[in-house]
Amino acid sequence: MLILHSTLFILHSAAQDFVLTGRVMDEQGNPVELCTVSCLKQAKVTMTNLKGEFSLSLSSADSVVVRFSMIGYKAKTRVLRRPRGRQNLQITLYEDNQELAGVTITEQKRQTSTTQELDVKDAKQAPSASGNAVEELIQQQAGVSTHSELSSQYNVRGGSFDENSVYINNVEVYRPFLVRSGQQEGLSIINPDMVEKIAFSTGGYEAKYGDKMSSALDITYHRPTRTEASLSASLMGGSAYLGIGGKKFTWSNGFRYKQTKALLKTFDTTGEYDPQFIDYQTYMTFTPNKRWQMEFIGDISQSKYNFYPTDRETTFGTQENLKAFKVYFDGQEKDLFRTYFGTLTLRRIISDKATVSLIGSAFHTKEQETYDIQGQYWLSQTETQENMGVGTYMEYARNYLTANVASLKLMLDRKTRHHAIQTGLTVKWEHIKENSREYEMRDSSGYVMPHTGNSLNMIYTLAAKNEFHARRVEFYIQDTWKFASPLETNFYTLNYGVRFANWSFNKESIVSPRASLSVVPYWNSDVTLRFAAGLYYQSPFFKELKDTTTIGGVTYATLNKKIKSQQSIHLIAAMDYRFKAGGRPYKFTAEAYYKILSNLIPYSVNNVKVTYNGLNEATGHIAGVDFKLYGEFVPGTDSWITFSLMSTGMKYRGESIPLPTDQRYAINLFFTDYFPGTDRWRMTLKLAYADGLPFGPPHTDNARQHFRAPAYQRVDIGMSYRAYKRENQQVKKFCLRNIWLAVDCLNLLGHSNVNSYYWVTDVTNHQYAVPNYLTGRQLNARLTMEF
């Protein structure tokens, strides 16, 4: 009997349960919420609450292995020896920054808002035609598209180029106004060598982001902690970066030069191309003590584009009906865009949970676009050599613009246990002065067109001399509230806020409420459900104001003081699912959206130039779904594939027509791989396949955009070789760390993409749209040195 009782006691002791409790924190002592606490052998799992606390009932054994894991942190394991009763653990997790072949692979943190975090390192070593790594990374995201590899501009979910807001360190930045083609555009204001964080939202974004209808891009510049540098050179330009880090003072400097002459020579139009683009930026921070911080960002940029065309030969049509367009040119184009941008920030750190910032900024641009180009053209049928049309055209422009925008912004950030409150007040002063004159003449078969029988008119004539001063006041307040259900089975993140703005030019005031909710459900901690809704405005700026009136064959552009903001109601539902396959992490995202548009200002797009008609006279809608699979397709590298479907519609003057950005489908692939057995050889592949956009004859009503361009298809591939690698990458002294040699093949398949058309008329008065093809296949070599 004694033996039986002893045996039962031993069995009972072996099977008895114990309770494991504790708290999970990060390196700064902040709670790590939604951290997974698991015991795989016992199939038990739980998550930490908003305080980082957890509780888990387990069965005792000789050893109990408990694992703590969270996206973005290195997993940690603890082994408990014969645990009894109540056990308590205090766990610290460290960020997971794993270096492989010079690329930092950071497992993405859980997305609990409509803004996703991107890593610019995914694109810095990728093949590039524009040299703007950040924008090219944005262009490859779900719901985003571009139809010119030379441009840094992009469309987001049916919006125009002008509907995307861009911020650098909490200050909204601007693009040049007169740019009409990708080859003029040059370097964007974002220097990828200086970027630390990229936050991007394709819709439903927070109230702190300004009055744009499509997207928000938020850039945070890097503060170096030690002396660091990099040099890069290629056949299309180069860059240099130097960062100096210290306890109180940091200083970053970035210089970029771009020369695309070799790439532009792949155009159908031959001649002397002389594009030169330079940019210098500096970013300084000073922290005299733990209560005060000062920051300064300065940028000087100049884009010069000189072009002397000689001839052009383009074939277009089908194999059964192929036409040839031959042109001999005389004339030149000279463009100059010079911009200056600066910000100064003074920040008071009241406590660990509260800060006040005062930010002053100024933007200045001086732009000129001048060209006199005459072309004598022949349009012929290639099969029969029949001459279908002979003519001369003349294009002339003298466009000058000067713009100044100054702003003063007061921000307050306050954090509590469950809330993060942000509020800001901004005052902007805007001054723009324009003097433009353009005309286009065509003489087909000896007749100037159009003609009335009594007079000879130009195809197009524009005169504009405008100047305006305006003041814009903006205010926002928002709160991010994190909470759990009563039994802590579901975890929620609610962001809600409101934005107010007033513009003195049209005396309009707008109010924009916005909200988003994310849910981590109890039934699967790897799933995140996200919902968002809000009223968004596209506050008019200089381009949207220009209303046109034609008098005596000349079109005059004046500023419409009765213009109103365009409106868009966003409705978004999304799901993120994190999983592992083959031991590697993946994330699948699906988003459905619907936009209700009103007060639209109709516009047309030619290359990258957006021309508005200056009146609120349309309504519309945009609906679509976006899918993205992101993860380690190959161990140690980041890759992704996206697929988007979209439908747009606009009610304009009694007709239902698609928006000019009606891209019905798009596929993007970014893939990185290494040669087997080595991390010295790396291959990067970029693929884009997107539906063509609607188009029609130039200088006509939107209702005549009845045609659709062919699909945009492009494949870029790059091969990189790590010629030198310092064995100890963590060494603190300034020294050479890596040397990369790379060869890129841009437009690998040599596909002739189209993003605009030139219209000509034959002897029977039929019009033909001659495609303006983009760049062809081109090789580029790169050298990168990192210190």
Side-chain angles (χ1 to χ4, degrees):
M1 182 66 69
L2 180 60
I3 296 174
L4 178 60
H5 280 290
S6 300
T7 303
L8 291 174
F9 177 78
I10 293 172
L11 291 174
H12 174 72
S13 299
Q16 70 180 356
D17 291 343
F18 72 98
V19 178
L20 178 64
T21 61
R23 193 178 187 211
V24 181
M25 298 169 290
D26 62 15
E27 299 171 76
Q28 288 75 39
N30 300 313
V32 178
E33 59 194 44
L34 306 180
C35 172
T36 301
V37 183
S38 60
C39 179
L40 298 180
K41 286 188 177 181
Q42 299 185 26
K44 295 290 186 67
V45 64
T46 188
M47 289 189 301
T48 58
N49 60 19
L50 300 179
K51 303 176 185 178
E53 300 170 345
F54 67 92
S55 178
L56 188 63
S57 295
L58 298 170
S59 299
S60 183
D62 288 340
S63 63
V64 177
V65 179
V66 182
R67 189 173 186 268
F68 301 86
S69 61
M70 176 65 185
I71 293 293
Y73 295 90
K74 293 180 180 178
K76 184 167 286 189
T77 300
R78 287 289 181 266
V79 180
L80 307 178
R81 303 294 181 183
R82 296 179 181 175
R84 297 285 191 274
R86 194 174 188 86
Q87 303 285 322
N88 187 273
L89 292 177
Q90 300 296 316
I91 302 297
T92 301
L93 296 183
Y94 298 89
E95 288 192 4
D96 184 13
N97 292 319
Q98 171 191 358
E99 272 206 4
L100 178 59
V103 178
T104 301
I105 306 301
T106 304
E107 197 175 13
Q108 290 191 328
K109 295 182 180 179
R110 185 189 301 270
Q111 181 180 340
T112 57
S113 69
T114 57
T115 302
Q116 59 176 319
E117 291 189 8
L118 306 175
D119 192 346
V120 71
K121 296 181 179 64
D122 286 330
K124 285 182 66 175
Q125 288 294 337
S128 170
S130 71
N132 299 310
V134 173
E135 284 84 356
E136 289 198 9
L137 181 64
I138 298 298
Q139 291 167 357
Q140 293 176 301
Q141 302 306 308
V144 186
S145 66
T146 182
H147 287 78
S148 174
E149 61 273 6
L150 295 173
S151 175
S152 63
Q153 303 192 58
Y154 48 88
N155 304 111
V156 178
R157 291 179 174 175
S160 74
F161 299 136
D162 299 325
E163 296 178 16
N164 308 309
S165 59
V166 180
Y167 290 79
I168 297 180
N169 286 26
N170 297 308
V171 176
E172 188 171 8
V173 298
Y174 300 88
R175 298 177 183 270
F177 293 83
L178 294 181
V179 171
R180 75 179 195 283
S181 64
Q183 52 264 37
Q184 294 175 304
E185 200 170 300
L187 296 161
S188 78
I189 192 173
I190 303 172
N191 187 329
D193 293 330
M194 301 174 67
V195 172
E196 181 175 275
K197 294 181 181 179
I198 303 174
F200 180 64
S201 175
T202 53
Y205 36 90
E206 303 165 11
K208 67 178 180 180
Y209 297 121
D211 299 308
K212 301 286 187 179
M213 289 201 305
S214 290
S215 75
L217 174 60
D218 194 351
I219 302 295
T220 302
Y221 271 1
H222 170 64
R223 293 186 183 183
T225 57
R226 58 182 179 178
T227 302
E228 55 191 24
S230 66
L231 292 171
S232 180
S234 75
L235 299 179
M236 295 192 297
S239 66
Y241 165 76
L242 174 63
I244 301 172
K247 292 183 178 179
K248 292 188 176 182
F249 179 76
T250 68
W251 188 17
S252 300
N253 297 271
F255 174 81
R256 293 177 292 165
Y257 171 75
K258 179 180 171 182
Q259 167 63 269
T260 57
K261 182 184 296 186
L263 191 62
L264 298 182
K265 286 185 176 180
T266 64
F267 281 171
D268 284 348
T269 301
T270 62
E272 182 181 345
Y273 291 91
D274 186 22
Q276 297 184 24
F277 313 105
I278 60 173
D279 174 85
Y280 169 74
Q281 294 189 34
T282 184
Y283 174 43
M284 293 182 285
T285 69
F286 178 56
T287 309
N289 54 56
K290 65 179 183 178
R291 293 301 182 192
W292 291 96
Q293 289 181 352
M294 286 181 285
E295 297 181 8
F296 172 76
I297 297 177
D299 172 64
I300 301 174
S301 177
Q302 177 175 283
S303 299
K304 293 176 65 176
Y305 179 73
N306 297 333
F307 176 42
Y308 306 88
T310 56
D311 61 79
R312 165 183 175 173
E313 186 168 1
T314 301
T315 57
F316 63 100
T318 63
Q319 290 183 348
E320 295 78 16
N321 186 18
L322 192 64
K323 296 177 176 59
F325 180 64
K326 180 73 175 180
V327 189
Y328 293 97
F329 293 104
D330 184 26
Q332 63 181 348
E333 176 177 355
K334 290 189 175 183
D335 305 325
L336 176 64
F337 305 90
R338 186 177 290 123
T339 61
Y340 303 90
F341 172 71
T343 72
L344 181 63
T345 301
L346 179 64
R347 182 174 295 110
R348 169 67 173 176
I349 304 173
I350 301 172
S351 67
D352 294 339
K353 304 295 183 180
T355 60
V356 177
S357 302
L358 182 64
I359 307 173
S361 70
F363 169 79
H364 169 80
T365 180
K366 188 174 183 179
E367 307 172 20
Q368 67 176 45
E369 179 187 46
T370 62
Y371 53 84
D372 297 272
I373 297 178
Q374 176 181 282
Q376 296 180 341
Y377 69 85
W378 284 261
L379 180 65
S380 60
Q381 189 77 32
T382 58
E383 295 88 348
T384 62
Q385 301 301 314
E386 177 188 357
N387 192 356
M388 303 175 62
V390 179
T392 300
Y393 67 82
M394 176 74 180
E395 294 179 340
Y396 169 95
R398 293 293 185 271
N399 298 329
Y400 303 94
L401 184 142
T402 302
N404 296 282
V405 179
S407 71
L408 192 63
K409 184 176 185 178
L410 180 65
M411 293 177 55
L412 171 64
D413 293 314
R414 177 75 171 95
K415 292 183 179 180
T416 64
R417 177 176 294 181
H418 298 303
H419 295 266
I421 302 171
Q422 295 177 287
T423 185
L425 174 65
T426 305
V427 182
K428 296 180 181 178
W429 296 268
E430 304 161 347
H431 176 213
I432 298 179
K433 187 176 182 180
E434 173 202 34
N435 190 358
S436 297
R437 186 80 181 189
E438 299 179 9
Y439 71 77
E440 181 179 346
M441 182 273 291
R442 295 183 197 171
D443 185 350
S444 177
S445 299
Y447 295 93
V448 176
M449 303 175 63
H451 62 88
T452 64
N454 299 319
S455 62
L456 302 179
N457 299 323
M458 301 289 181
I459 287 289
Y460 167 68
T461 303
L462 173 69
K465 190 173 183 180
N466 298 298
E467 182 175 4
F468 88 98
H469 297 262
R471 184 188 69 253
R472 200 182 299 263
V473 178
E474 302 171 348
F475 171 79
Y476 72 86
I477 184 169
Q478 67 175 48
D479 176 32
T480 301
W481 178 25
K482 296 184 177 182
F483 60 98
S485 57
L487 298 179
E488 295 190 349
T489 53
N490 295 326
F491 294 87
Y492 303 91
T493 301
L494 174 64
N495 177 275
Y496 56 99
V498 64
R499 185 176 186 88
F500 167 84
N502 173 268
W503 197 30
S504 63
F505 183 81
N506 61 357
K507 298 179 175 56
E508 180 188 29
S509 296
I510 55 178
V511 179
S512 174
R514 310 173 185 181
S516 65
L517 174 68
S518 75
V519 183
V520 180
Y522 72 93
W523 40 267
N524 193 333
S525 62
D526 290 323
V527 171
T528 304
L529 305 175
R530 294 183 284 109
F531 308 92
L535 173 60
Y536 294 82
Y537 289 90
Q538 178 75 17
S539 184
F541 202 39
F542 187 71
K543 288 183 181 180
E544 295 95 321
L545 296 178
K546 297 169 72 171
D547 188 11
T548 56
T549 304
T550 301
I551 302 175
V554 178
T555 300
Y556 295 92
T558 57
L559 303 184
N560 179 11
K561 287 194 173 184
K562 296 182 179 180
I563 200 77
K564 298 298 181 183
S565 296
Q566 302 177 84
Q567 298 179 16
S568 175
I569 298 176
H570 291 196
L571 303 172
I572 298 172
M575 181 199 73
D576 300 328
Y577 176 55
R578 302 177 302 157
F579 64 96
K580 286 193 175 183
R584 300 189 298 272
Y586 293 88
K587 177 184 174 183
F588 174 74
T589 299
E591 291 197 23
Y593 59 90
Y594 189 81
K595 299 181 184 181
I596 305 171
L597 310 176
S598 58
N599 274 353
L600 291 183
I601 306 173
Y603 63 89
S604 61
V605 182
N606 184 18
N607 203 309
V608 298
K609 183 179 181 180
V610 181
T611 303
Y612 296 87
N613 77 352
L615 298 172
N616 301 98
E617 52 180 355
T619 60
H621 74 275
I622 303 173
V625 289
D626 295 328
F627 304 95
K628 179 179 180 181
L629 178 63
Y630 178 97
E632 295 186 12
F633 293 12
V634 175
T637 66
D638 287 348
S639 302
W640 63 86
I641 184 171
T642 69
F643 175 63
S644 301
L645 295 172
M646 184 179 69
S647 173
T648 73
M650 180 170 66
K651 284 281 189 179
Y652 176 58
R653 296 180 179 177
E655 293 191 47
S656 296
I657 58 176
L659 288 170
T661 52
D662 182 53
Q663 180 180 274
R664 296 169 297 186
Y665 59 85
I667 300 173
N668 286 289
L669 172 67
F670 183 93
F671 179 73
T672 305
D673 195 4
Y674 289 90
F675 276 38
T678 179
D679 62 1
R680 288 186 175 270
W681 288 94
R682 182 178 64 201
M683 183 274 295
T684 302
L685 177 70
K686 292 165 53 178
L687 180 148
Y689 186 87
D691 185 27
L693 302 180
F695 74 96
H699 319 303
T700 58
D701 194 88
N702 289 68
R704 295 190 61 190
Q705 309 289 308
H706 297 306
F707 307 100
R708 187 173 289 270
Y712 182 83
Q713 307 172 46
R714 186 175 177 89
V715 177
D716 296 333
I717 190 169
M719 190 67 65
S720 303
Y721 173 67
R722 194 174 194 172
Y724 173 80
K725 174 183 178 182
R726 186 175 182 85
E727 294 302 325
N728 185 4
Q729 291 284 320
Q730 304 301 322
V731 66
K732 293 185 178 181
K733 67 178 182 179
F734 185 75
C735 59
L736 181 63
R737 296 176 62 241
N738 298 297
I739 298 178
W740 284 93
L741 303 175
V743 176
D744 303 330
C745 184
L746 306 174
N747 196 1
L748 175 66
L749 303 181
H751 186 78
S752 298
N753 289 305
V754 182
N755 77 335
S756 63
Y757 289 84
Y758 189 81
W759 290 76
V760 296
T761 309
D762 66 10
V763 293
T764 62
N765 205 28
H766 286 106
Q767 285 187 308
Y768 295 89
V770 181
N772 296 317
Y773 292 119
L774 289 165
T775 59
R777 185 185 295 111
Q778 179 69 24
L779 292 177
N780 184 36
R782 294 183 285 118
L783 167 67
T784 303
M785 304 174 66
E786 299 172 347
F787 299 88

